[in-house]
Every structure is written in C-alpha cells, then in structure tokens.
Amino acid sequence: MMKKLLKFLSSMGFAITLLVVLAAACVAASFVTQGQSYEWYAQAYSDGAARLIVGLGLDDAFHSWWFLTVTVFLCGNLLLCNLIRLRPLIARYRREADPAAALSGPADVCCEGVADPLPLFEKLRLSQPKAHEIEGRKVLFVGKNRLGLWGPWVCHLGILLLIAGFTLGQLTHREYTVYGVPGDTKPIGDTGYFLTIDDFEVKLREDDTVEQYVAAITVFRAPQGSTAVPDSMSAAVSVNHPARLYGFKIYQNSTGFAARIRVDEAGTPLQTTVVCAGEGIEIADAPGLRVYLNAFYPDFYLQPGVRPMTRSGRMNNPAYLYSITYENSMVGMNYWQGSDGPIKVNDYTITFSEPQSYTLLQVKTDHFQELALLGGLITLLGLILAFYVLPVKVWATENTDGTWTVYGQSRKGGALFREAFDRAAGRDAVLTEKGAQT
Amino acid sequence: MTLSLEIILFYGVLGLYFGAMVLYFLFVAAKRERLGKAAVNVQTVGLLLHTAAIVLRGIVAGRLPLTNQYEFASAFSWGLCLVSLLFILKFRFTLLGAFSAPITFIIIGYAALQSKEIRSLMPALQSNWLGFHVSTAIIAYGAFGVSCVLGIIFLLRDKMKESGFLDQHIPSREKLDMLSYRSVSLGLLFLTFTIVTGAIWAERAWGSYWSWDPKETWSLVTWLVYATYLHLRIRRGWQGKSAAIFAVAGFACVIFTYIGVNTLLPGVHSYK
Ligand code: HEM
C-alpha cells in the first residue's frame, strides 16, 4: 500500500497533472486583480463572483492554501523522482561507456558489410574508436556526451533549489522602507540600525526626462551605551544599482516632492519642518489644527477644464497644493505660490519653501535569494545538458568474413541521428527494430 | 539623418520579407525549385538588412534597441526569421518558409504600426540585464514560433495529397516531429534564460525578483506548458499529432504573453 502510494507520488503521470494544475491556477489568478477586498470584487464583477473569488482565495491566489499544496506536492514529487532515479542513473551513466553493455543493448540503426568502419566514425565527428575484444569478437567502440544523461536530473535539482530558495525567502525575508530628504536620519525598522540620507539627486537629461535617481546614504548601528562614534558604511544607491550594507540590500525605490512648512503666530516664528508630499504637521499650540502638503508642482500649469500639472521637472513656476484640517474635517484646500503671500488661518500665517525631492529607499534582507539564483542557474545547466549534450554511441563488430557491422544509438537523436548515420554510411543504413541487434 | 536611414532600412526589410513570403507561396504553387531558392535568398538579405537596421538604431539611441513595442516587435520578427532560416538551411527544409514567412511578416507589420520615435529610457529600463532578458526572449519566441509552424505543417501533411514535390520537400512525420521537439527545446532553454535574467533585472530595479506580475505569471504558464509537452512526449509517447497540436497551443500562450498581457492585464511590463 505504502509502496504504491510512494510510486504514485513519485510518478511522472502525477508530475504532469501537477504541472497542468499549476499552469491552470496561474491562468485563473492572472485574470483576477490580486489583493483587493470583497467589496472591490463585488463592485468590479458581481456579488456572486466576489464570494467565489474570496472563498477560493483567488484574491491572493499565489499564497492560497491550494496553491501552496500543489507546490508542495510538486516539490515532493520532484524530490522523490530524483532520489529514486539517482542510482539507476549512475548505473546507466557507467553503462553508457561500456562496449559490452552496448553490444547486448538495443541499437537505433546499423549498417552491415562495411569494409573499413573508421571513416564512418570520422564522418559522425566521433573521436577515434577504441578497440576491444569481447567474447572473442573484435569490437570498436566510441561514445560521447554521456554527461547529457544527467540533464533532466540536474534540471529537476535546479527547480527544487529554486522553489526552496523562493519559498524560504518569502517566509524569512524582512523588508523596510525609509524615506526622507538629505540630512534625515531614520531607523531601519526595528533592526537597531539607522540610515542617514546624505544626499539625493534627480539627474535630468536635457529633454527634461529623468536619467537617474541617486541617493548617497550611510548606515550605522545605534550606539549602545557608549558615546563613541558608531561604525558606519556609506554607499550611493540608484535604480538598478542597489547597495549592500551590513547585510541589508538597499534599493532606490521611488521619489516624490517635499517642502518646508513654516508657521508663524502673530508675526513670530512658531515652528518649521520639512515634510514629504502627503504628510502634514499639527500646529504646535493649536491641537487638532493640521496643515498638509498634498502635492508640489515645480513647473505649475493650470488651465480651466484641465487637471493641474507640471510641464517639466524644473523649478520654473513652483506651486504647492495644501490642505488644512481641524479635528480631521477639511477646513480648506488650495494651490499656493510664493507670490500669493502667506496663508492665514486664525492668528497663524503659513508659508511653504525649499521644495526638494525626497527619496524612498527599500531595505531588504533575503538570505535565500542566492539559493534561488543558484537553482535558476542549475536549471539552465540541466536544460543545456538535456538538450544539447546528446549521448551518442557507435560501435562496430567484426564479422567472420572480415567485414564490419556498425551500430549506432542516440537516445534523443531520433530521426535526425539516423539520417546523419545514413549520410555517414554513404547509403541507406538498416533501421533496426528496437533491441534487434544481430 | 541616421535615424531616417534606420527607418528606410526598416521599410526595406518589410518589403523584402513580403517579397520572400510571396516567393515562398509561388514556390509551393508553381513547384519550382528556383523560386524556393530565391525566397531563401531574399529572406536572408532581409535578415541581414534587418540586423543592420537594429544595430543602427542601437547606435543612434546609444543603448540596446529592445525597450518599446516597436523595437520589441521588430526584434521578435528578426528572431523568428533567424530561427526559421537556421532550420531551413540546416535541415534543407525550404517549405518551412512558406509557413514562417507570413508570421514573420505579420509581426514586422505590427512593428510598422508602432511609434518609431527614439525615447530616452526611464532609469528602471537602463540595465544590461534587460538587454539579456529581451534578447533571450526573442530567440525563445522565434523558436516557439518555428515549433508552431512545424506543428501546423505536421497537421496539414496528413491532409495534403501525396505528390512528388511535397514528398521531396516535407520531411517524414518522424523527422517533422523531431524538428518540432528540437525547436521546443531551444525555446524552453531560452525562455528559462529569459525568466532568470528577467528576475535578476527585476531584483535590481524593483527590489523583488518575482512579484507575480501578470507578464511574469504568463511566462511561467508558457514554461509549464512546454515542460508538460516534454513530459507527455516521454510518458505517453505523445508524439506526432498530439505533440503538433500542443506546439500550436503553446505558441498561442507565447502570443498571449507577448500581446494579450500588455493589452488585457495590468502590470509593470506595460510601459504606458
Ligand atoms: C517544474 C517542472 C519541471 C520541468 C521544467 C522539468 C523539465 C524536464 C526536462 C527539460 C526534461 C528533459 C526532457 C527531454 O529531454 O526531452 C525532463 C525529463 C524528465 N522529467 Fe521533468 N521537469 C519538471 C518536473 C518534473 C517532475 C515533477 C517530475 C517527477 C516525476 C519529472 C520527471 C521527469 C522524468 C522522469 C524525465 C525523464 C528523464 C529522462 O529521460 O532521463 N519532471 N524534465
């Protein structure tokens, strides 16, 4: 019973079923927008569809229990299959170079009555055959590319490592975001490390398009107890050029605008802070009263009937979109430009200045990323072995009349190998029935 | 000046591919060997000029010209033309051209409809990995295209009346099947390269090497479909007709991954 189950779980038939199920699951999931709420699906499709989607976990298909179950079965299947096939594969690998085994095994094609077999070996671009004496018969044998036999096994191993690396990475990776303007120092989550943004530059081309976002950063560990200057590491991070500092991989992820908000009360400065677009401050002595910087337009352009926009990334006509709330209810919202004069709210005057870009950095640790990459590379190696290192063996036995019979076998060469053999033989070779070797 | 030369070359190539297609059709209709040879020659000249056009665009743009719809469609038709010519010449199979040349022409025609403007690249697209990613995709797509064409020929072969000409120009069923298998393996190898290099690029550009974006998901579907094809061949001896149908269906997946995903499903690969 157990044996039967094991056989089924490791069988190729089961593997095919799993591959088809996995492909079908991916297709279904790709048509459903992932990660939305029940209400979202109900509105986008219908109530019934939303129930089905959420019920089946299609809203987060790639992390659903059934997707994970299929993947686990596939891994188990691959692992068992590779384990079971290892010993026979080693045996076959050895046999592939054994002329005696060739003699007793099947041949794909043969050619009889050959006076001198050596040119045939040459034409098939095989090395000089070795002479053997087997059961009193003279035998010439050459085999090549037997390493190719390992192709599928290596490919499957690679896939296993890839899935293992990906899954372990998903389970253990840590991800934080840090954003701010030059001069800011912020904690990297709860890791005990801090990140300082030393500089941030948006490099523009002449045509105003962005060439690169470059952040200069320093990472250091929080000083513990002592006042000594902590160890630190610095790097420049830009898109496509992440940095690795203290085991963290740091990516330049996105950017936006920030600006300084200044609040004065009856003509005297009260507070001033740099905030990123989307953020706000609470006015220090007026609890509940908040000022937000909603957006910033460096080259402001406003036309009736058209959404406000920026014409370029250059500071040609800066404008700020701000809002003011009291106890979370909107008091006002408008555009502001320096020439408008300060914004007045009760006794307070508010101004914006120092527009600048902030950077959003993604900080990650994934200790299994290299394992997944290794898996990918091994899979590639396996495919190259399976498809382009095709095992071929050709052997010739001497007949009593002094002529030779030459046999050829190529597990995957099929009709193409037979054709090449034919051409090398210079005449129609005799196709042997499977296993029929005279 | 140089840009317009590239566009002139491109339209020249379009004309040559069209000419090659017509010659292939005439070759089959008139059963004249010379027409077949002429078709192969015209297609080869087309491919060489196409290569020159792509290289020229790369020089003008100062980057690999593989980043927008026009550039990719043009490169896709280049890949299909290259792989089919390799099969035509290596396996002396001129008739293959009569089926692959129209697909090549349709794809380059699709490229002709796209904007040919050279735009500067957003930072995420400035990566050598992207270059490897797209170049390998071109070969993969080309190889899958050829396997689809071989599948179609296999299926039509049964319907065609036996004639000396066809017998001479269409390989045996067994050989057709083997060629289809060879092109699927070439495609799967390159698709795997595409996925691996794409993952490396995504990790560097977005900090995540696999995020189940629809294009990623569909490339995985294509990969699984062709892996299934290979296992079915081994397990159930699914060769011949069933394998031919599978090769055609597999290419439908490829086309969906290429066009359908960009137009029907949202994701980072639709640079809109
Ligand atoms: C993720 C999916 C998989 C991929 C991409 C894959 C890939 C491959 C490839 C490329 C080959 C060589 C085919 C050929 O040379 O024509 C192969 C063969 C094979 N695969 Fe898989 N495979 C996968 C999953 C599995 C699983 C789960 C099993 C479990 C039983 C399995 C069992 C086999 C066997 C028994 C062979 C034949 C090996 C031989 O001829 O020596 N495969 N596979």
Side-chain angles (χ1 to χ4, degrees), chain A residues 10-12 15 19 74 77-78 81 85 92 152 155-156 159 383 386-387 411-412, chain B residues 181 188 223 227 230-231 234:
Chain A
S10 65
S11 71
M12 201 200 269
L19 293 180
L74 183 73
N77 182 224
L78 262 172
C81 164
R85 276 164 21 95
R92 201 160 83 202
C155 171
H156 296 145
I159 294 167
L383 289 174
F387 298 145
R411 252 170 44 88
K412 284 190 196 151
Chain B
Y181 165 68
L188 189 71
W223 194 74
L230 291 177
H231 289 87
I234 300 172

Side-chain angles (χ1 to χ4, degrees), chain A residues 11-16 19-20 22-23 26-27 29-31 33-34 62-63 67 74 155-156 159 162 165-167 169-170 175 205 207 209-213 238-242 249 251-253 362 364 366 368-369 372-373 376-377 379-380 383-384 386-388 390 412-416 418-419 423 431, chain B residues 90-92 119-127 129 171-172 174-176 178-179 181-194 196 200-214 217-218 220-221 223-225 227-236 246 253 256 264-266:
Chain A
S11 71
M12 201 200 269
F14 186 47
I16 291 170
L19 293 180
V20 172
L22 215 55
C26 289
V27 170
S30 77
F31 281 97
T33 310
Q34 298 289 292
F62 303 109
H63 303 105
F67 194 84
L74 183 73
C155 171
H156 296 145
I159 294 167
L162 181 67
F166 180 72
T167 313
Q170 292 277 305
E175 201 172 327
R205 298 189 187 92
D207 64 359
T209 54
V210 177
E211 187 181 349
Q212 189 53 279
Y213 303 97
S238 57
V239 179
N240 271 313
H241 304 279
K249 205 141 181 207
Y251 305 83
Q252 169 57 46
N253 187 291
Q362 195 182 343
K364 270 181 90 165
D366 179 352
F368 294 98
Q369 195 163 296
L373 178 63
L377 296 178
T379 306
L380 278 167
L383 289 174
I384 293 173
F387 298 145
Y388 292 97
L390 303 181
K412 284 190 196 151
L416 297 177
R418 287 204 285 273
E419 213 178 89
R423 242 178 287 138
L431 301 187
Chain B
K90 178 155 189 219
F91 301 110
R92 280 172 263 162
R119 284 202 223 115
S120 345
L121 291 188
M122 57 192 259
L125 299 184
Q126 297 165 28
S127 159
W129 288 109
S172 65
E174 197 197 358
K175 188 171 166 190
L176 266 179
M178 197 66 206
L179 290 180
Y181 165 68
R182 280 290 170 88
S183 51
V184 167
S185 4
L186 178 70
L188 189 71
L189 173 63
F190 274 83
L191 179 62
T192 313
F193 265 115
T194 308
V196 171
I200 295 175
W201 167 51
E203 187 270 332
R204 297 179 69 85
W206 288 290
S208 162
Y209 61 90
W210 189 266
S211 34
W212 298 107
D213 156 88
T217 307
W218 269 88
L220 177 64
V221 170
W223 194 74
L224 290 169
V225 165
T228 308
Y229 163 100
L230 291 177
H231 289 87
L232 280 172
R233 279 181 70 93
I234 300 172
R235 169 72 208 270
R236 291 185 201 279
F246 220 102
C253 263
F256 187 81
L264 298 177
L265 310 168

Side-chain angles (χ1 to χ4, degrees), chain B residues 233-261:
Chain B
R233 279 181 70 93
I234 300 172
R235 169 72 208 270
R236 291 185 201 279
W238 253 47
Q239 298 178 2
K241 203 165 164 181
S242 335
I245 295 172
F246 220 102
V248 177
F251 192 59
C253 263
V254 171
I255 294 291
F256 187 81
T257 311
Y258 170 45
I259 297 178
V261 171

